[in-house]
Structure formats: C-alpha cells, structure tokens
Amino acid sequence: MTSPSMNPSVRSSRRQFLGLSAALAAGCFVTSRPAFSASRSANEKLNIAVIGPGGRGHENLMGVSSENIVAIVDADFRRAAKAFELFPNARKFSDYRKLFDTPDFFDAVVVSTPDHTHAAPTSIAMKQGKHVYTEKPLTHSLFEARSLQETAAAAKVATQMGTQIHAGENYRRVVEIIRSGAIGPVTEVHVWVGKGWGGGELPQEFPPVPEGLDWNSWVGPAPFREFHPTYVPANWRRWWDFGNGTLGDMGCHYMDLPFWALGLKHPTKITAEGPALNLQTAPIGMTAEYEFPAVGSQPACKLKWYDGTMTPKEVRGRKVPGSGVLFVGSEGEMFADYGSYKLYPEEKFADFKPPAPTIPRSIGHHQEWIRACKTGEPTTCSFDYSGPLTETVLLGCLAYRMQKPIAWDAVNLKCPGTPEADAIINRPYREGWTL
C-alpha cells in the first residue's frame, strides 16, 4: 500500500523554494508590522491566542498565563475543557483558520498542536505580524522548517521553539565546558532516548467521531482519513502523516545540546538503520548517523542518534542511563542529560573545576519569548536557531524512510541522486489547508 505522504505529485523544487523566498523578500504579508508595537509599555500585557491547550500544550498555556489569554483554539474541545474552564472569557475556535479571520484582537500566538499542524498556523500568524511560540519539532517537513525561517526573518517578529530544557542551568554549564576545550575538539557525539513512538497498522473499523472533536480540523493539511481512537490524543506521533516517531518527538530536546555546544547547523550525509520500513508508521526503534562538515574552529563531526528498541545500554564501553548525550573529544569524554554531567576518564578530571559561567541565566523559556515580544530582545531558540535543528532531526527520519544513505544539499533542499525524497521533503497539502 502506498502511503498518502509518498504521493509523487507533490511539488518540491528549487523554483518553488526560490519563489517562496522572493515572495517573502517582497513583503507578501497581510502585515509585516509586529503586532505589539514598541511604543507600548513593556509592562503592558500581551493578548495571546493559544492553539492546542491540552497535553503538552497545557504547560505552554500555563507558561504564558501571566498575559491575557484572549483565544483558545483546539480541534478537540474535550482536550481543551480545562483551558476553557481556566479562561472562560477567551474566544473559542475548533478551526485555527477562523482565528486568523479576525486577527486584530491578539498580538501573539502559541502553537502546541500535533506536528503536522505546526507550520500553517505559525506561518499565517507571522505573516499577520504576530509573535509566535511553537512547540518542538518546529515543523513536520523540511520545506516547512525552511519556509518558517524565511518568514520569521522577513516578518521580524519574536519567535521561540518549545525546547524548554534549553533554559535550564545544566545545559548552560555543559555548553561552557565543551566550548572551554576541557575534553579537546569534539569529533563524535552519541545521543540516545529510550522512548518508542512507533509501530502499528491502519485501522480497519471506524467508530463514530466523538462529540466535541472536529475531526476535519484535526486532520488539517494531512491526507484525510477516517477517525479512529488510535490517532488521538497522543499516538499520532507514530504515524508518518502526523508525526515522525521518537526522533521527531525527542530529537530537538536532546540534539539541542550538541547543536548549541558545537555550533552545528546542516549535515551533509545521513545514514539510518532500523526494522523494515512501514509506509504508515515510524519504527519502534532506529538509529541515524549524521556527518557535519568542519566550520571555523569546530572540526568535522559525526553525531549518532539511537531510540526505542535500539537504545544502547553501553556507549563506548560505558554503561549509560536510558537517555543522554556523550561528547567524544581528543582529550576526554563528557556525558550529559537534562540535569547532570560527568567527565571521563574520571581520574583525569577528579579535580576539574568548570569555567566561570558566561551564558546568562534564563528568565524562563516562556518568559524569554514574552520579553522578546514586548522589547525586541532575542530569544535563545528563535526559528533562526531551531529551524536548522528541526531540519537535522527530520533528515534522520528521511534517511530511514529512503532506506539508504542520503546526501543533503541544504541550500536547495534536495537529496542529490534521491529524487524520491522530494515527496517527503515537501509534502502535499490537502486542499483548503495551505502553508
């Protein structure tokens, strides 16, 4: 059976990408003026529309609840019930497109929907001059990630991708130690997450759509399929049309650390391994190896990802916990996770004193974005940074789906010699649900 997302009719070309870039450069927006004017007081509250306030989105809703929550959008009103209760005066929508029909009452948007509906509302918001906070991964496809970077640069609005751990103190100390040269130049990184979003076959029976669920809006730009509870509320991550498995779910969190510490951007070759390809669902476990070119003082580097059933119990002979990152340098190694780090060989670093902190303490991931909306100050995970990170994560999924090593031409968004990748790089959109 052919997956809808493998539709060869998708238009993914150099001409299309350049056309988008030209349109952005020409200022093809409803408005390119940021909604929260610099003339307004930084103490004045933002009017925020929240798209997707359930699950992970609830934490984002609470993260911006110091401001005025003026709209709540969710295709599943059952999932939004708590948000409706907390903010009874907020306008309610099940279709995010309706929100943008009357954009004058809000300044900024938080997008915490399933991955396949990240890009469109984020893009529309920025073209209307709205600031945007979008949950990780930034997008579902590579073309979407690049287009949002271009749109954000042209719109000059405040952006932040929801990699909340980026605001933590431990990540800052790890970045400072790696950059200090304590373990020497890093040429190898291992990243693993013992989680498994994958597996499953297409349902054969279709129960009625539950009351309160606007299924057409939930499917949004993806190829339409009949409702089944296997997709909602969380298992959509397993399905290629809606998510990108464990790598798509967790890659931006854990690969963020080497990206930040080493200044990584675009890999040139990607190889992935795992079980036999299922055209509908991601694997229950896989690996992906990325090759990054040398940039400035950072030498060429290989980064290997492991997840699910292929998560290692040992990395380079060291027993490791269920998730983490291991940097390999010429003078030693460094393990890190969300809340801790350790240097090896232990005897060599027994008396190690970390460098004095140089990266300022974060005021909080959501608060960074709120401040940026009001003052124009930069955020730490703007789309300029998080776009390439998301692209790298998605390239691992792409290599797995191609079932062979791929080269990557980041300038043209192409896999040279692999034209069949175009249908995934730039997926087709269902009519009426455009980027």
Side-chain angles (χ1 to χ4, degrees):
M1 181 179 292
T2 301
S3 167
S5 63
M6 297 289 283
N7 186 341
S9 67
V10 62
R11 297 191 301 269
S12 176
S13 66
R14 169 73 170 160
R15 184 186 312 129
Q16 184 179 19
F17 179 67
L18 290 178
L20 170 70
S21 300
L24 294 170
C28 295
F29 299 94
V30 175
T31 174
S32 60
R33 176 181 58 82
F36 199 86
S37 171
S39 66
R40 293 165 66 178
S41 169
N43 293 322
E44 190 174 348
K45 290 188 176 184
L46 291 166
N47 292 325
I48 298 179
V50 175
I51 306 177
R56 168 71 249 170
H58 181 74
E59 293 184 47
N60 290 335
L61 172 64
M62 292 296 97
V64 300
S65 61
S66 59
E67 307 303 299
N68 295 324
I69 307 302
V70 298
I72 293 172
V73 187
D74 203 311
D76 191 344
F77 273 22
R78 302 169 305 167
R79 295 276 282 171
K82 182 64 175 178
F84 293 155
E85 179 184 330
L86 290 171
F87 302 97
N89 296 323
R91 300 190 196 181
K92 302 175 180 64
F93 302 87
S94 64
D95 183 338
Y96 65 76
R97 297 174 300 180
K98 301 297 184 183
L99 169 73
F100 296 109
D101 286 343
T102 54
D104 292 341
F105 73 100
F106 59 97
D107 307 307
V109 179
V110 175
V111 179
S112 306
T113 59
D115 297 356
H116 71 292
T117 46
H118 282 185
T122 300
S123 180
I124 296 167
M126 290 191 293
K127 289 175 182 177
Q128 291 186 347
K130 311 299 181 184
H131 308 292
V132 191
Y133 180 108
T134 301
E135 190 50 54
K136 57 76 195 166
L138 185 58
T139 63
H140 184 255
S141 77
L142 286 143
F143 180 82
E144 291 172 337
R146 187 64 59 86
S147 70
L148 292 194
Q149 294 167 66
E150 295 279 345
T151 303
K156 294 181 171 55
V157 292
T159 61
Q160 181 92 308
M161 183 176 77
T163 44
Q164 295 79 18
I165 194 61
H166 194 97
E169 282 298 292
N170 187 64
Y171 264 30
R172 280 160 165 69
R173 302 293 81 80
V174 171
V175 170
E176 289 162 351
I177 292 169
I178 293 296
R179 289 180 177 175
S180 76
I183 65 170
V186 174
T187 56
E188 183 181 336
V189 185
H190 298 262
V191 184
W192 63 96
V193 173
K195 207 174 190 181
W197 287 113
E201 300 294 335
L202 283 173
Q204 300 301 312
E205 298 179 359
F206 304 102
V209 177
E211 185 177 354
L213 174 61
D214 179 349
W215 181 242
N216 184 60
S217 292
W218 191 96
V219 174
F224 188 79
R225 63 180 66 192
E226 296 298 327
F227 166 78
H228 192 277
T230 191
Y231 305 125
V232 293
N235 279 330
W236 54 263
R237 292 175 176 86
R238 296 185 293 130
W239 300 85
W240 292 125
D241 281 343
F242 308 132
N244 279 287
T246 308
L247 178 50
D249 183 42
M250 298 301 296
C252 286
H253 279 317
Y254 279 87
M255 288 168 62
D256 174 31
L257 191 52
F259 250 69
W260 190 4
L262 304 177
L264 303 179
K265 197 160 189 181
H266 297 297
T268 53
K269 183 179 178 181
I270 307 94
T271 304
E273 295 182 356
L277 177 65
N278 184 315
L279 294 178
Q280 297 294 334
T281 52
I284 198 67
M286 63 171 284
T287 66
E289 184 170 284
Y290 304 86
E291 296 182 18
F292 291 90
V295 178
S297 61
Q298 169 58 38
C301 177
K302 288 186 178 181
L303 184 154
K304 188 165 185 179
W305 166 273
Y306 319 72
D307 69 38
T309 56
M310 298 183 74
T311 304
K313 290 183 171 47
E314 292 187 356
V315 177
R316 290 179 57 86
R318 303 186 191 284
K319 289 186 179 180
V320 293
S323 300
V325 178
L326 185 72
F327 295 90
V328 181
S330 61
E331 304 300 323
E333 300 176 359
M334 184 178 192
F335 165 81
D337 57 15
Y338 283 0
S340 66
Y341 66 82
K342 191 167 186 177
L343 295 163
Y344 299 99
E346 292 182 72
E347 59 276 11
K348 178 176 179 177
F349 293 99
D351 299 320
F352 175 76
K353 292 182 177 152
T358 56
I359 303 172
R361 181 182 292 268
S362 173
I363 61 172
H365 202 63
H366 299 93
Q367 290 304 311
E368 278 183 29
W369 175 68
I370 290 170
R371 180 177 64 184
C373 294
K374 297 179 180 182
T375 69
E377 293 183 40
T379 60
T380 56
C381 291
S382 68
F383 294 174
D384 180 60
Y385 170 82
S386 56
L389 171 59
T390 296
E391 288 182 27
T392 297
V393 167
L394 296 177
L395 282 167
C397 299
L398 178 62
Y400 171 76
R401 294 176 74 177
M402 292 296 98
Q403 294 285 283
K404 66 179 183 180
I406 58 173
W408 181 239
D409 175 356
V411 173
N412 296 302
L413 289 181
K414 289 286 186 180
C415 290
T418 312
E420 61 270 30
D422 289 350
I424 296 174
I425 292 169
N426 184 11
R427 62 182 180 143
Y429 269 52
R430 189 159 62 105
E431 185 176 356
W433 301 83
T434 59
L435 183 62

